[in-house]
Amino acid sequence: MTDTTPLMVLAVFLASAVRYSMPLLVGTLGETVTERSGHLNLGVEGMMLMGGAAGFVTAIRTDSLVLSLLAAMGGAIAGALFYAVLTVTFRANQVVTGLALTLFGAGVANTVGKGAVHASTPPHIQAFFAWQPLRPDLSAIESVPVLGPAAVFLRTVLLEYNIYVYMAVLLAVVLSLLLHRTRLGLHLRVVGENPASADASGIRVAATRYGAILVGGALCGLAGLYLPLVHNGTWVENITGGRGWIVVALVIFVRWSPLRAMLGALLFGALEIIGFKLQGFPQLAGNPLFSQYIIGMYPYIITVIVLVANSARKKGGWRGPGALGLPYFREER
Amino acid sequence: MHIRKILSTLLLMTLLAGVMLAAGCQSGTPTNAPAEKVKVGVLYISPIDDGGWSTAHNRGFVMAENEIGKDKIEWVTKENIPDTDAAATETALRIMADAGCQIIFATSYNYMDTVEKLAKEYPEIKFEHCSGYKTADNMDNYFGQIEQPRFLSGIVAGLTTKSNKIGYVAAIPIPEVVRGINAFTLGVRSVNPDAEVHVRWTNTWFDLSLESAAANELLNLGCDVTSQHQDSAATLKAAEAKGVFGIGYDNPMGDAAPKAYLTAPIWNWGAYYTKKIKAVMDGTWSVEQYWGGMKEGMVGLDTLTDLVPQAAKEKVAEIEPMILEQGNDYVFKGPIKDNQGNEKVAAGTSLSKADQMGMDWFVEGVVGSVG
Amino acid sequence: MLRIARKEDMTGLRAVGVRIAAVLLALLASGLLILAMGYDPREVVRVMWSGMRTLKALASMIRIAIPLAMAALAVSIAFTMKFWNIGAEGQILMGAFAATAISSVLPEGTPGALRILLMALAGLAGGALWALPPALFRAAFRTNETLLTLMFNYIAIRWVEYLRCQLWKDPAAMGFPQIAPIPESAHLPQLLGVHIGWILVLVLAFLQWVFLRRTKKGFEVRVVGESEKTARYAGMTVGRVLLFGVLLSGALAGLTGMVKLNGTAFVLAERLAGGDGFTAIIIAWLSNLSAPVILVVAFLFAAMKQGAGWMEGLAGIPSALADTVQGLILFFALGSEFFIRYRIILESRHRTERKEAHP
């Protein structure tokens, strides 16, 4: 039975915000890797769609989760590869190439997905994502005053998720460690900060950038797969509905940090669904600040604020990857 | 140097055109269409396979094609044209007009002004606009009284709910949707005066994620039956995942959520489309502002599934003949109060068509506000 | 050892050769793709051509090309300064918003010409004001303008959606969420079957070319684009030049919105820009930021759009496949730029010392 105490209403809201934040989080992690290497890939939406379509079609054709995951990464990597070849090797403009990738990716995905419209996620994959591996049985203490409700609250907020959610969190932690605690991460950051000095110290700039763009693409593909395979259970055209652009904003909002990405994605995920909660309060109906459309602006407005505040810091503070969006050609150094 | 660049681009363009021309001539034997053939344009707001609104229209055109003959109709269809993008709407309609369509169906409300504009420019083409109100000599509009099956589906919901809380995921706060919510609620309250209908607006016709978010919000409030004015089955799927029941819309939606699906108010555009295309072929087309109900077969209630309680089946069977006879007058028969307690329709009368067309208030029993 | 070097400048003829090769390759790849999806490419070409060869089709393509060309002219000014204004989409919308706002406060009897003029001025102002904050922040803090202008697009889209559904909902629209259409007297007059926006585009292209090549301000804009250091040595106030150029860019985009509003749409809605602001970026870039070339490329894009429309409508090819083909053509076009701007040299290790800014 549905529990409608305010505490539980909050818990259920937070939990669904987490579920809605997943494609944002994983996409943000991917784009963060790419941008840390100095490449601004605006084709996130396209790559998410390509990954989602490839992965979902594979899932319904082969009934295999592993193949579906591989296909999602593969599909998005294919898109990222176009971008990498054009911007790294052929030195095309990053912004323009990213926009072209958005168009191309949506086209490919919607073409590939034609056959999968209305198909459902295969039952055993559905069951796998319905599984909540960390959910403890609290029947023993549920009726204890204070402790019982507190435990149920914590369980709802933290422990009732499917495996995708925990994997995404783990991924954020691993990426953060990788970026800040390993040689590989250092190389990646140097390439994104100052490719010329990276080059001078023997780091292979082009190869690093290729790697970052392709890894970023793969993660965007997994983010795109979440929507049809896990969240909606079916495919429709343009299923990402602009989330790729939210991701671009989120990467800035969390200032290129995988750990902060978790909180940022949670906030943006909550903003996506808070309108339905607010509709339960008719006294807010006329207030523009709580209008669904104005709420839709908030992610972009707060991103603007963060972006400006970040760049207004005094010298010495880190203002994002130094070479972001700038092409690097050794010959023109 | 600059001139050279321009020249070179021009050269490129000429070449491109040449290639196309050559290819066009090579395979382009002009097809002289026989006189009894008709070219029909159809403009859709979403993909034809959305499973909802556009699928229902497409179902109608497929029926028309089978009735009239596959070899007699040539289609020019454009799907996924957002109706708030006037330029894209115009481009799409012009393609149909310039391709020689004799009749063009535009199947979403906001196409109206662009249709009106092109109707002036192409007086020889017949334009059919769905769900609007403007007409011209060669521009007609048409719609159906979906409120009738909505009322019946309300009866089903009212007799199925245990919690007396019913959820309604609604698309956009316009009279059409408000009318549907009210008809549904009147149906619910006709058999279960204690039940409430809770409404959540998604502000979109078709978005799986938003629809399921709205549905989940309603389910978390304790609703144990859902209804929808949305074009996907996301609400039904959310209900199924919670182990409760749902009512679909547009098309039979049982396959999407067999363990939750009760029934759905559905559209049957086929007969109308057949009639109007035939009318163009034999020159009898006219403006009629068609607004068909269950009697005309324009709308209907999908077969009730085995999940529907016996009592509800019997009640629907009892009321249906009266709706067939009286139409929307039965659905909106007074006394009707709004959800603030004011009397809106007096006993012994029914809501006028004009008031139905502009409906912007909720009947008693609806929890929520319009917009 | 492979070495890549910048070309001084490829001769026109060879550049054309590369471009033609790229387009042919793209068409070949597209043909193969269409074939692989089970359609007959010859049929597709036939249908596309049938959608382009009539006068009406030409008018239709010009109608599509007008906002594309105007917006491309707009962004190219900012791009010339290496200010990556990808906010044309939002600036178009805000221009149309300002025009609608002015129109709604003018008395009913305002003469059409005056109304159009005031709406055009409002469009210019609306677009410029929407470009102002990113320009200021870039000038003051070096805030990344690509990301900033991108965010401003989505804020503008939501704003207009809010106006349409709530604040400016037209009570006369039978309860439908719609902003009141502009009065008929404000519709742009037609000339040769298309609204006069096409003349405006030609004039603007000429003016822009003159501005950048023949005026002092235009020269400053170009120098700032070449190198801010040089500009500073030459005694220019980089911030002010930047601000001026970006405002000009935003104003032109805003005017594009007004032309779209008064020329085709007649009513403000969040889809008014319809992606033109993004397509314009691609057009400006592929045109090498040159005004006359922009006219040609914008027309080619319009033809591509028109052809894709026919492809979908008559050959039954899903619009998604048409998008794919367009994306593919863009990729080839972008890739071909490399072979025009650089040459690949096979030789032993040797590094040039030349230092040059990337365009």
Side-chain angles (χ1 to χ4, degrees):
Chain A
M1 198 49 233
T2 316
D3 191 339
T4 50
T5 57
L7 194 66
M8 277 316 287
V9 169
L10 177 68
V12 169
F13 176 75
L14 287 175
S16 54
V18 168
R19 291 187 190 104
Y20 275 80
S21 73
M22 278 305 117
L24 304 178
L25 172 59
V26 177
T28 301
L29 295 176
E31 182 68 3
T32 301
V33 172
T34 302
E35 289 192 18
R36 278 289 180 128
S37 79
H39 270 244
L40 176 65
N41 185 354
L42 293 182
V44 178
E45 180 89 352
M47 294 188 294
M48 281 175 75
L49 281 167
M50 286 175 91
F56 187 71
V57 168
T58 306
I60 58 171
R61 290 272 165 77
T62 66
D63 224 17
S64 154
L65 177 61
V66 176
L67 289 180
S68 167
L69 294 170
L70 289 175
M73 291 194 278
I77 284 177
L81 192 60
F82 272 103
Y83 174 88
V85 169
L86 283 171
T87 58
V88 181
T89 305
F90 284 172
R91 306 170 178 198
N93 179 284
Q94 295 182 16
V95 168
V96 179
T97 310
L99 292 177
L101 177 55
T102 303
L103 180 70
F104 177 77
V108 171
N110 294 333
T111 308
V112 169
K114 273 280 170 213
V117 174
H118 302 313
S120 291
T121 304
H124 82 269
I125 298 181
Q126 254 180 51
F128 179 73
F129 285 116
W131 176 46
Q132 301 172 349
L134 299 186
R135 188 178 191 276
D137 184 6
L138 296 178
S139 48
I141 55 166
E142 236 166 289
S143 50
V144 181
V146 185
L147 183 66
V152 173
F153 176 85
L154 287 177
R155 181 179 69 181
T156 307
V157 175
L158 296 175
L159 300 174
E160 286 187 340
Y161 300 115
N162 63 41
I163 204 147
Y164 189 103
V165 175
Y166 300 118
M167 284 300 155
V169 170
L170 190 67
L171 185 67
V173 175
V174 168
L175 273 182
S176 180
L177 291 175
L178 214 75
L179 266 179
H180 299 286
R181 299 283 151 85
T182 65
R183 273 181 75 79
L184 189 66
L186 179 71
H187 287 183
L188 180 67
R189 284 184 292 130
V190 174
V191 165
E193 224 38 81
N194 189 342
S197 66
D199 200 358
S201 59
I203 301 171
R204 293 163 63 202
V205 174
T208 310
R209 289 187 157 182
Y210 259 93
I213 292 166
L214 297 187
V215 168
L219 293 182
C220 286
L222 290 178
L225 181 63
Y226 178 81
L227 289 161
L229 194 72
V230 186
H231 194 72
N232 294 324
T234 187
W235 170 265
V236 294
E237 258 186 40
N238 295 322
I239 196 165
T240 46
R243 286 182 184 77
W245 296 104
I246 298 255
V247 162
V248 174
L250 248 174
V251 173
I252 308 159
F253 177 63
V254 303
R255 291 192 287 125
W256 300 270
S257 149
L259 288 182
R260 277 194 296 265
M262 290 190 280
L263 286 175
L266 180 64
L267 176 66
F268 283 26
L271 283 173
E272 205 174 318
I273 57 171
I274 195 149
F276 298 115
K277 188 63 70 191
L278 296 175
Q279 282 181 31
F281 301 90
Q283 57 271 32
L284 297 179
N287 189 328
L289 286 182
F290 298 105
S291 151
Q292 210 151 330
Y293 313 100
I294 303 292
I295 291 174
M297 273 183 208
Y298 291 159
Y300 304 107
I301 291 179
I302 55 182
T303 300
V304 165
I305 294 171
V306 168
L307 187 62
V308 171
N310 191 36
S311 58
R313 291 158 162 228
K314 281 195 218 99
K315 282 201 178 117
W318 187 64
R319 298 149 54 121
L324 183 60
L326 305 176
Y328 171 69
F329 313 127
R330 170 187 279 177
E331 301 78 20
E332 293 176 3
R333 224 167 57 202
Chain B
M1 188 245 120
H2 212 78
I3 299 298
R4 227 183 282 149
K5 209 174 272 172
I6 301 164
L7 276 179
S8 54
T9 319
L10 278 173
L11 183 66
L12 186 153
M13 214 177 72
T14 324
L15 235 136
L16 194 65
V19 169
M20 283 172 158
L21 187 65
C25 289
Q26 175 205 342
S27 61
T29 40
T31 45
N32 271 335
E36 70 271 17
K37 262 190 140 179
V38 62
K39 220 172 202 179
V40 181
V42 187
L43 186 56
Y44 295 101
I45 189 172
S46 50
I48 292 170
D49 51 16
D50 69 352
W53 183 252
S54 294
T55 298
H57 283 285
N58 187 49
R59 196 155 45 79
F61 289 116
V62 169
M63 182 179 149
E65 188 178 60
N66 290 335
E67 289 276 311
I68 297 169
K70 270 198 165 41
D71 50 334
K72 295 223 171 70
I73 305 182
E74 258 186 80
W75 301 99
V76 181
T77 54
K78 296 280 290 168
E79 50 180 330
N80 230 349
I81 307 294
D83 66 351
T84 49
D85 186 339
T89 306
E90 186 177 331
T91 305
L93 285 173
R94 276 185 194 282
I95 286 171
M96 291 171 190
D98 294 341
C101 290
Q102 287 127 291
I103 181 166
I104 294 173
F105 293 88
T107 63
S108 187
Y109 170 76
N110 260 320
Y111 295 144
M112 184 165 64
D113 291 344
T114 314
V115 169
E116 189 190 27
K117 176 174 162 188
L118 288 225
K120 267 186 212 146
E121 206 176 307
Y122 293 89
E124 71 288 358
I125 300 175
K126 314 296 181 208
F127 289 88
E128 289 276 345
H129 176 241
C130 179
S131 82
Y133 55 87
K134 289 187 180 168
T135 56
D137 285 348
N138 60 330
M139 175 180 174
D140 191 11
N141 61 47
Y142 62 97
F143 208 24
Q145 290 155 303
I146 195 79
E147 297 75 29
Q148 298 164 14
R150 282 230 186 266
F151 184 90
L152 293 175
S153 70
I155 293 177
V156 172
L159 291 172
T160 304
T161 179
K162 298 271 189 316
S163 67
N164 283 342
K165 278 185 177 175
I166 296 163
Y168 199 111
V169 180
I172 294 172
I174 60 173
E176 173 196 343
V177 180
V178 173
R179 215 156 59 220
I181 295 169
N182 285 339
F184 175 81
T185 308
L186 290 169
V188 168
R189 304 274 280 202
S190 74
V191 294
N192 184 351
D194 297 328
E196 290 175 336
V197 176
H198 293 255
V199 176
R200 285 294 179 276
W201 298 103
T202 60
N203 293 306
T204 170
W205 296 110
F206 183 71
D207 182 317
L208 295 185
S209 291
L210 282 179
E211 289 173 40
S212 67
N216 280 318
E217 177 67 25
L218 290 163
L219 294 167
N220 289 338
L221 282 176
C223 297
D224 62 353
V225 179
T226 64
S227 183
Q228 65 183 72
H229 198 134
Q230 295 285 170
D231 293 337
S232 92
T235 304
L236 282 171
K237 287 194 170 194
E240 188 175 56
K242 274 261 174 174
V244 298
F245 301 107
I247 290 166
Y249 177 51
D250 288 325
N251 299 293
M253 284 184 168
D255 293 343
K259 278 176 260 162
Y261 183 69
L262 297 172
T263 184
I266 55 177
W267 290 100
N268 296 309
W269 306 98
Y272 180 75
Y273 288 156
T274 310
K275 186 179 90 174
K276 293 305 256 198
I277 295 172
K278 270 189 179 155
V280 165
M281 293 172 86
D282 39 71
T284 57
W285 185 92
S286 66
V287 174
E288 54 179 321
Q289 298 201 266
Y290 187 82
W291 199 37
M294 282 179 84
K295 189 168 68 183
E296 293 81 12
M298 185 83 148
V299 293
L301 190 68
D302 192 19
T303 318
L304 303 182
T305 63
D306 292 339
L307 301 174
V308 175
Q310 189 57 31
K313 284 185 175 164
E314 285 163 12
K315 192 72 187 172
V316 168
E318 180 196 327
I319 303 297
E320 192 173 339
M322 287 189 266
I323 289 194
L324 283 172
E325 194 185 320
Q326 301 172 39
N328 269 17
D329 281 350
Y330 184 87
V331 173
F332 293 110
K333 189 187 288 178
I336 299 176
K337 281 186 187 164
D338 69 12
N339 65 352
Q340 310 296 316
N342 312 308
E343 187 180 86
K344 286 288 202 176
V345 184
T349 61
S350 288
L351 194 66
S352 71
K353 186 182 172 188
D355 285 342
Q356 288 178 39
M357 283 325 205
M359 211 170 208
D360 60 356
W361 48 274
F362 277 146
V363 300
E364 192 176 40
V366 180
V367 182
S369 47
V370 179
Chain C
M1 187 69 201
L2 266 181
R3 193 169 70 78
I4 296 166
R6 255 179 101 62
K7 283 179 178 144
E8 280 309 324
D9 230 321
M10 193 183 245
T11 55
L13 224 55
R14 279 197 59 197
V16 173
V18 171
R19 290 208 170 95
I20 289 179
V23 170
L24 287 181
L25 274 176
L27 290 179
L28 186 69
S30 307
L32 289 176
L33 185 70
I34 288 168
L35 203 62
M37 295 299 295
Y39 301 93
D40 180 358
R42 284 173 310 172
E43 171 68 8
V44 171
V45 171
R46 195 186 64 76
V47 166
M48 279 179 74
W49 179 240
S50 71
M52 293 181 182
R53 65 181 167 196
T54 63
L55 267 180
K56 277 191 167 160
L58 184 67
S60 192
M61 286 188 274
I62 291 175
R63 224 175 270 122
I64 301 172
I66 290 167
L68 292 178
M70 271 184 84
L73 289 172
V75 296
S76 67
I77 296 177
F79 284 10
T80 304
M81 300 183 304
K82 294 214 174 68
F83 181 99
W84 304 113
N85 174 18
I86 59 173
E89 187 86 356
Q91 289 145 16
I92 290 173
L93 270 180
M94 292 315 257
F97 157 65
T100 306
I102 283 289
S103 174
S104 71
V105 298
L106 288 176
E108 217 169 294
T110 312
L114 179 64
R115 188 183 285 272
I116 290 174
L117 184 69
L118 290 173
M119 286 175 81
L121 291 175
L124 288 164
L129 283 176
W130 201 240
L132 179 65
L136 281 179
F137 290 130
R138 154 76 190 257
F141 307 131
R142 299 205 60 82
T143 313
N144 184 325
E145 77 282 0
T146 312
L147 300 169
L148 212 46
T149 47
L150 180 68
M151 297 302 122
F152 269 62
N153 286 335
Y154 294 101
I155 297 174
I157 289 171
R158 297 293 177 156
W159 169 245
V160 175
E161 196 182 8
Y162 168 66
L163 291 178
R164 179 172 70 85
C165 297
Q166 294 184 327
L167 201 62
W168 279 6
K169 190 169 154 181
D170 180 13
M174 305 278 285
F176 285 85
Q178 206 182 352
I179 295 169
I182 60 169
E184 215 157 302
S185 65
H187 296 190
L188 292 182
Q190 307 268 321
L191 191 68
L192 302 178
V194 184
H195 64 82
I196 55 159
W198 66 271
I199 298 181
L200 187 63
V201 169
L202 295 179
V203 172
L204 285 174
F206 177 72
L207 287 180
Q208 205 227 55
W209 188 82
V210 170
F211 167 72
L212 282 179
R213 311 271 150 185
R214 297 279 182 272
T215 66
K216 181 163 172 284
K217 270 263 182 272
F219 174 72
E220 289 179 352
V221 162
R222 282 193 297 144
V223 173
V224 167
E226 291 291 330
S227 155
E228 291 195 8
K229 259 187 207 147
T230 316
R232 232 170 259 125
Y233 283 134
M236 298 173 194
T237 323
V238 172
R240 274 184 36 202
V241 176
L242 199 73
L243 209 59
F244 174 79
V246 176
L247 287 185
L248 196 61
S249 173
L252 262 186
L255 187 64
T256 309
M258 177 270 176
V259 166
K260 239 190 150 178
L261 177 71
N262 297 41
T264 44
F266 306 142
V267 61
L268 176 65
E270 69 274 14
R271 301 227 192 219
L272 181 100
D276 287 357
F278 289 112
T279 311
I281 293 164
I282 299 174
I283 293 174
W285 188 253
L286 291 181
S287 311
N288 225 344
L289 309 185
S290 148
V293 184
I294 282 175
L295 294 181
V296 176
V297 176
F299 183 78
L300 284 178
F301 263 76
M304 196 154 78
K305 244 182 162 175
Q306 168 91 351
W310 279 73
M311 225 160 97
E312 187 206 347
L314 282 95
I317 291 188
S319 57
L321 189 55
D323 287 345
T324 312
V325 168
Q326 288 188 41
L328 211 54
I329 293 175
L330 288 180
F331 282 153
F332 276 97
L334 285 168
S336 74
E337 294 299 305
F338 173 75
F339 295 98
I340 294 171
R341 285 174 189 166
Y342 300 92
R343 61 202 155 119
I344 300 164
I345 304 163
L346 261 170
E347 57 174 44
S348 59
R349 237 177 213 286
H350 166 75
R351 199 172 279 176
T352 48
E353 292 303 313
R354 199 154 34 87
K355 193 172 180 173
E356 226 174 313
H358 185 71

